[in-house]
């Protein structure tokens, strides 16, 4: 069964004669969206040094994609402690705020809507990325499998093994929440339309949520209620700053990214969806539980679809689902009331005018994975739009001032 709220949205659209739900208007919070194609957050590792400041190219990149119903910015570290990858931008310094203001100005000039995704990576970091080469922090001192992406002595990107993090003390938790509060105020000062709390993909808040990474015995560990506490406290702390209807939360039920898992995911994420539903948020944004199967062109496994339905039933507000979609599968999930908005990631990298291409059933540019992270305009601002392909618009932004 789908929730009554979700089902009524689809019925309203169908009764109004709509045939393609992906391109029907949608409202959440104070915003009226022209369609339901969202740009998912995408780490691109192109911030300038020193200071992890968004570059002038970033303003061009996001403005090119302003036809998205909503842009969710790349993950943005809330503090120096929150950084986990080389060349990723922050939202904790004056220079960063001013640079982000240029980004939001460019997006708004292009009639776009942009939320800032607030990010603390927790243990998915390395002393080389931390202030004073300190250990990364986590709910528990458990070393993740895999490698950190750092900048080496030659100013090159390099993969190095993760280290054993330091467990946060109970007394540090209020300070951690203060980091989020400061970042939210900075996002407001940078003229973002809203914020998204990144609680997915094995980063710090997700590390508290999931049982494999949280072995605490205090009020932030153990039961589902205790493991959910940090996310709910952060959410409650940010509502007075931005207002609930301009705050989203991202979760990744059944996600495996960054060496994470949960013993009882239905109980854990069902509880979170139910609790978050009571805040009147702008939206809940989940990574598609069937992501891997749909990316591979396979039929989603029943357990993945059951998780998606569970979240849909527990969360009564606007639901964004991201990952593995094409135009047909996005339309089907909307028609089945499994989502209200669909977020696309990689397709937006190579197709700045993705909504237009999907609406017209036009060919999509093919993305180049070798240019995902680091570099300049190549693979960032040089993908052409349909108008540029037709010679109706000037070529894409080219600016070598990226570092």
């Amino acid at each position: 069964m789908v929730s009554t709220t979700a089902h009524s949205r689809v019925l309203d659209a169908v009764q109004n004669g709509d045939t393609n739900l992906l391109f029907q208007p949608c409202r959440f919070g104070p915003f009226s969206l022209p369609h339901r194609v969202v740009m998912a957050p995408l780490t691109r590792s192109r911030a300038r040094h020193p200071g992890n400041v968004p570059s002038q190219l970033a303003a061009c990149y996001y403005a090119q994609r302003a036809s998205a119903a909503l842009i969710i910015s790349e993950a943005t570290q809330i503090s120096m402690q929150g950084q986990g990858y080389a060349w990723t931008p922050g939202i904790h310094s004056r220079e960063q705020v001013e640079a982000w203001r240029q980004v939001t100005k460019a997006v708004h000039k292009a009639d776009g809507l942009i939320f800032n995704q607030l990010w603390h990576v927790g243990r998915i970091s390395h002393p080389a990325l931390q202030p004073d080469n300190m250990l990364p922090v986590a709910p528990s001192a458990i070393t993740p499998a895999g490698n950190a992406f750092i900048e080496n002595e030659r100013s090159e990107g390099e993969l190095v093994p993760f280290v054993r993090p330091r467990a946060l003390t109970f007394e540090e938790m209020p300070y951690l929440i203060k980091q989020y509060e400061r970042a939210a105020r900075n996002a407001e000062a940078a003229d973002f339309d809203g914020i998204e709390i990144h609680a997915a993909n094995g980063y710090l808040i997700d590390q508290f949520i999931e049982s494999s990474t949280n072995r605490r015995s205090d009020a932030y560990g153990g039961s589902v209620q205790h493991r959910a506490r940090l996310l709910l406290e952060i959410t409650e702390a940010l509502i007075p700053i931005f207002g609930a209807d301009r705050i989203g939360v991202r979760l990744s039920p059944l996600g495996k990214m960054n060496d994470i898992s949960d013993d009882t995911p239905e109980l854990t994420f069902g509880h979170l969806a139910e609790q978050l539903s009571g805040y009147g948020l702008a939206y809940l944004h989940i990574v598609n539980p069937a992501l891997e199967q749909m990316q591979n062109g396979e039929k989603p496994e029943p357990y993945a679809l059951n998780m998606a339905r569970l979240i849909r039933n527990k969360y009564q507000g606007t639901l964004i689902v991201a990952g593995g979609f094409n135009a047909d599968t996005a339309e089907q999930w909307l028609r089945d009331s499994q989502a209200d908005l669909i977020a696309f990631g990689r397709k937006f990298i190579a197709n700045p005018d993705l909504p237009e291409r999907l609406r017209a059933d036009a060919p999509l540019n093919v993305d180049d994975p070798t240019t995902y992270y680091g570099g300049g305009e190549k693979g960032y601002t040089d993908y052409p739009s349909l108008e540029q392909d037709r010679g109706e618009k000037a070529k894409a932004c080219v600016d070598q001032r990226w570092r």
Side-chain angles (χ1 to χ4, degrees):
M1 288 219 20
V2 299
S3 70
T4 303
T5 304
H7 189 55
S8 66
R9 294 190 187 102
V10 174
L11 283 179
D12 288 345
V14 172
Q15 289 169 357
N16 289 333
D18 301 332
T19 56
N20 190 331
L21 291 178
L22 192 59
F23 292 100
Q24 298 310 312
C26 179
R27 276 194 67 86
F28 71 75
F31 306 108
S32 295
L33 309 183
H35 55 78
R36 298 164 187 252
V37 179
V38 172
M39 179 175 167
L42 294 157
T43 294
R44 305 305 308 274
S45 292
R46 281 170 164 84
R48 289 187 292 109
H49 277 194
N52 291 317
V53 178
S55 70
Q56 293 185 21
L57 273 181
C60 174
Y61 168 76
Y62 283 110
Q64 287 176 339
R65 290 153 180 81
S67 64
L70 166 67
I71 294 173
I72 306 170
S73 81
E74 63 203 280
T76 308
Q77 53 252 17
I78 61 171
S79 64
M80 293 176 69
Q81 183 192 68
Q83 184 177 2
Y85 301 82
W87 313 322
T88 52
I91 190 72
H92 53 83
S93 74
R94 183 175 58 188
E95 293 77 16
Q96 291 165 350
V97 171
E98 180 55 38
W100 276 120
R101 190 179 292 117
Q102 300 310 307
V103 172
T104 60
K105 181 179 178 180
V107 170
H108 292 152
K109 185 176 180 181
D111 296 323
L113 183 70
I114 183 168
F115 276 35
N116 186 208
Q117 190 188 60
L118 304 184
W119 188 35
H120 192 308
V121 302
R123 68 179 189 161
I124 304 303
S125 187
H126 189 273
L129 298 166
Q130 293 289 305
D132 300 323
N133 294 107
M134 294 188 294
L135 288 174
V137 298
S140 303
I142 303 170
T143 309
N147 297 298
F149 180 61
I150 69 167
E151 182 179 17
N152 63 23
E153 308 81 34
R154 300 180 298 279
S155 298
E156 301 167 338
E158 183 177 342
L159 292 172
V160 295
F162 287 124
V163 300
R164 188 170 186 256
R166 175 181 68 81
L168 285 160
T169 66
F170 184 83
E171 291 73 21
E172 289 178 284
M173 302 308 288
Y175 172 68
L176 177 62
I177 295 170
K178 291 290 184 185
Q179 291 182 40
Y180 279 91
E181 291 177 344
R182 180 183 64 178
R185 290 192 180 93
N186 285 343
E188 185 179 42
D191 295 328
F192 280 99
D193 298 295
I195 52 175
E196 179 177 283
I197 302 168
H198 195 347
N201 296 346
Y203 298 117
L204 183 65
I205 299 176
D206 198 20
Q207 292 160 27
F208 273 88
I209 290 169
E210 304 211 37
S211 58
S212 69
T213 46
N214 187 339
R215 306 288 173 79
R216 300 173 74 93
S217 58
D218 62 11
Y220 289 94
S223 69
V224 172
Q225 291 76 13
H226 284 179
R227 287 184 278 118
R229 177 177 173 176
L230 177 61
L231 172 57
L232 300 183
E233 287 186 340
I234 290 170
T235 303
E236 291 167 5
L238 302 192
I239 287 174
I241 300 170
F242 252 97
D245 60 359
R246 293 201 293 152
I247 297 174
V249 172
R250 193 180 211 217
L251 300 174
S252 52
L254 301 183
K256 301 175 183 177
M257 184 176 174
N258 290 318
D259 192 24
I260 202 163
S261 62
D262 190 76
D263 292 335
T264 57
E266 294 85 0
L267 178 63
T268 297
F269 288 97
H271 173 75
L272 279 169
E274 194 167 42
Q275 292 298 305
L276 291 168
S277 189
Y279 287 112
L281 301 176
Y283 60 81
L284 175 62
H285 178 192
I286 66 167
V287 178
N288 186 356
L291 169 65
E292 290 184 19
Q293 296 109 58
M294 290 175 64
Q295 276 185 337
N296 295 329
E298 301 168 357
K299 184 177 179 180
E301 295 288 343
Y303 75 90
L305 293 178
N306 288 340
M307 175 60 80
R309 294 188 187 103
L310 173 69
I311 301 297
R312 171 79 278 183
N313 287 330
K314 294 285 188 179
Y315 188 78
Q316 297 300 306
T318 298
L319 181 66
I320 302 175
V321 182
F325 290 101
N326 57 34
D328 292 337
T329 54
E331 176 69 20
Q332 191 60 55
W333 277 56
L334 293 173
R335 196 159 292 279
D336 290 344
S337 300
Q338 290 300 106
D340 300 304
L341 299 155
I342 302 293
F344 295 84
R346 296 174 187 175
K347 288 183 175 64
F348 255 117
I349 288 178
N351 299 276
D353 57 346
L354 181 64
E356 181 183 355
R357 289 176 183 268
L358 294 178
R359 189 192 294 266
D361 195 25
L364 299 183
N365 297 323
V366 179
D367 55 300
D368 177 4
T370 66
T371 61
Y372 281 175
Y373 309 112
E377 81 284 346
K378 182 174 174 56
Y380 191 52
T381 57
D382 63 341
Y383 285 110
S385 67
L386 288 173
E387 286 183 313
Q388 290 164 340
D389 281 340
R390 294 191 295 257
E392 299 169 2
K393 190 175 180 181
K395 291 298 182 181
C397 306
V398 176
D399 187 337
Q400 296 290 346
R401 293 171 292 176
W402 64 277
R403 291 290 298 281

